[in-house]
Amino acid sequence: MDLKLRGKRALVTGSTAGIGFAIARGLARERAEVIINGRTEDKVVEAVRRITSEIGSSATGIAADLSSAEGVNRLLERAGRIDILINNVGIFEPEPFLEISDQDWFRFFELNVMSGVRLSRALLPSMLRRNWGRIIFVSSESGVQIPAEMVHYGLTKTAQLALSRGIAESVAGTGVTANAVLPGPTRSDGVVDFLAKVAAEHNTDQAQVEAEFLRTMRPSSLIRRFAESDEVANLVVFLAGEGSSAITGAALRVDGGVVRSIV
Ligand code: NAD
């Protein structure tokens, strides 16, 4: 299927590693002009180099920390025209509910939710003028099955579902769509680092930690394994393309069956 992404300009937030990098690479394979984002110049340059050398297509990058309005503005000042906005950036860390401070609640909300609010608000008017656009939030199965070990994270992922649906409602009848995707446990760079840390603490290996996590924390997984970042990216790349034009206001799972719902 030709996704008709050639010439479209796509911004993927938090894309120097993990799912974001896989999405950026997938879009570049389809000949979209991709803009990489991460916090440091070094990592952005390296991600752009990897995509350019692997795919041979043009990618550019903008270093900006999206955890504040100033950081988002820095990105916007250099972004230019954007047809496809992938709100991927997000942080996660287990913390018992009773120990989550106000500061942590706001830190999670600011990056996981407000970066997407600020970017969508700034970029939507020009998408509407061109009557074409894609806004995609990378939420999580944790947005519908709130994890006891990180309630603050779950809240931000539910908020993203409301946000993407609300944006879709607000642009009804136009060529702009807004959707959310809900990955399940995925072997991204951030997750691999986390699993390696837990494995070292428990004197075991990463495969054991993964198996134990699925058995105790996500027993409803039907694939019984972590997904790869590319498996999540495949859905996002399809949604970014022309062929997804009748999909909007949707929350689409790519969670290996973790959410036990048939609709
Ligand atoms: P990751 O940690 O592997 O990569 C995160 C990326 O975001 C990196 O490029 C990092 O540099 C960038 N980043 C972090 N903080 C930033 C900031 N303040 N400003 C700009 N860039 C920043 O993460 P991941 O696992 O690939 O997660 C990506 C998204 O997928 C997140 O929204 C996460 O909630 C969601 N998700 C992940 C999983 C999973 O199991 N990996 C499951 C469900 C949903």
Side-chain angles (χ1 to χ4, degrees), residues 14-19 37-39 64-67 88-90 92 111 138-140 153 157 183-186 188-191:
S15 50
T16 57
I19 294 171
N37 156 255
R39 277 161 299 180
D65 184 330
L66 304 186
S67 61
N88 165 78
V89 74
F92 47 92
L111 183 64
V138 180
S139 172
S140 170
Y153 174 72
K157 294 288 137 180
T186 304
S188 65
D189 296 82
V191 163

Side-chain angles (χ1 to χ4, degrees), residues 70-126:
E70 294 73 37
V72 170
N73 287 340
R74 251 194 307 283
L75 175 61
L76 285 167
E77 275 161 21
R78 293 175 52 199
R81 188 192 96 225
I82 299 296
D83 305 297
I84 298 161
L85 168 63
I86 316 285
N87 289 308
N88 165 78
V89 74
I91 45 170
F92 47 92
E93 64 198 23
E95 202 172 8
F97 173 70
L98 294 177
E99 291 170 26
I100 306 172
S101 63
D102 282 10
Q103 202 186 10
D104 280 346
W105 278 103
F106 286 119
R107 183 165 60 88
F108 269 68
F109 196 77
E110 190 95 29
L111 183 64
N112 293 8
V113 181
M114 287 310 295
S115 65
V117 170
R118 289 169 175 142
L119 288 168
S120 304
R121 192 173 53 201
L123 297 172
L124 193 49
S126 60

Side-chain angles (χ1 to χ4, degrees), residues 12-29:
V12 187
T13 65
S15 50
T16 57
I19 294 171
F21 179 80
I23 295 169
R25 184 170 54 191
L27 291 168
R29 275 197 195 110

Side-chain angles (χ1 to χ4, degrees), residues 203-224:
N203 207 17
T204 180
D205 61 27
Q206 195 186 309
Q208 290 292 333
V209 178
E210 275 189 33
E212 190 61 14
F213 175 83
L214 289 174
R215 195 179 64 76
T216 57
M217 313 285 258
R218 300 293 185 277
S220 55
S221 169
L222 298 178
I223 58 173
R224 307 265 161 88

Side-chain angles (χ1 to χ4, degrees), residues 39-53:
R39 277 161 299 180
T40 65
E41 195 68 42
D42 288 3
K43 292 231 169 94
V44 168
V45 168
E46 173 56 17
V48 168
R49 189 202 61 74
R50 268 181 74 193
I51 289 186
T52 312
S53 67

